[in-house]
Amino acid sequence: MNSFTRLVNSTVVLLNNRAMATANARPKAASAKIHVLLVQLSFKKEEQRTVFRDTWSKLADQVYANEPNCLSYEFCEANDDSCKAIIYERYTNKADLDGPHQETLKAFGLNDKLKELGVEVDVQLTHFTETNTGFMDK
């Protein structure tokens, strides 16, 4: 095989590999119109944030096990304020938040547990819809 034939064969293989990679590329979004709930939390003391997180983690385990349409459910601590945190929640649609998730919350009894533990928290809820303009992970 001469060098020209090897070059042509290499180019064909490269183009085929690129075409396969493009065809198999994963989409930038799990689905269109993902519903997002941003839960902003403010605590009186840093210790209360820790107690909340530890209690909430058990709820997160239940959400993960029982709510397949909850795509993300993450507790995030503020870097510059030890009394602030957020929970970032993503659902395939708002109905999954309004239905199955509310049932999980009710069954878990988070508010009652926090009251028993003496945790005081101010909560602000903001709803969003993803536009699929960027990406969430890669």
Side-chain angles (χ1 to χ4, degrees):
M1 186 174 359
N2 66 32
S3 60
F4 177 74
T5 305
R6 278 193 292 258
L7 176 63
V8 169
N9 287 342
S10 296
T11 302
V12 169
V13 168
L14 178 63
L15 291 174
N16 282 337
N17 287 343
R18 282 190 182 168
M20 287 175 53
T22 301
N24 294 327
R26 140 183 109 149
K28 288 174 102 178
S31 62
K33 306 294 182 191
I34 298 296
H35 185 78
V36 175
L37 176 61
L38 178 65
V39 182
Q40 297 177 351
L41 306 168
S42 296
F43 301 91
K44 304 279 187 221
K45 301 176 187 172
E46 180 179 354
E47 298 78 25
Q48 290 184 342
R49 182 177 80 174
T50 302
V51 171
F52 182 99
R53 184 194 62 225
D54 293 346
T55 304
W56 179 89
S57 71
K58 295 173 184 82
L59 171 60
D61 290 342
Q62 289 186 16
V63 170
Y64 185 82
N66 299 313
E67 296 182 38
N69 292 334
C70 180
L71 305 173
S72 302
Y73 198 63
E74 183 65 39
F75 185 90
C76 306
E77 296 178 339
N79 293 335
D80 59 353
D81 187 337
S82 61
C83 291
K84 292 197 183 286
I86 66 166
I87 299 171
Y88 193 79
E89 304 181 27
R90 297 174 67 238
Y91 301 87
T92 56
N93 58 60
K94 191 170 184 300
D96 293 310
L97 168 65
D98 293 340
H101 186 66
Q102 296 309 308
E103 292 171 18
T104 302
L105 284 174
K106 185 177 179 182
F108 185 77
L110 180 63
N111 290 337
D112 292 337
K113 286 177 171 49
L114 294 174
K115 188 174 183 179
E116 288 173 16
L117 295 167
V119 174
E120 296 179 43
V121 58
D122 292 323
V123 179
Q124 181 180 344
L125 305 176
T126 309
H127 295 264
F128 297 91
T129 301
E130 290 181 4
T131 63
N132 299 326
T133 303
F135 60 92
M136 288 302 296
D137 61 23
K138 62 181 210 181

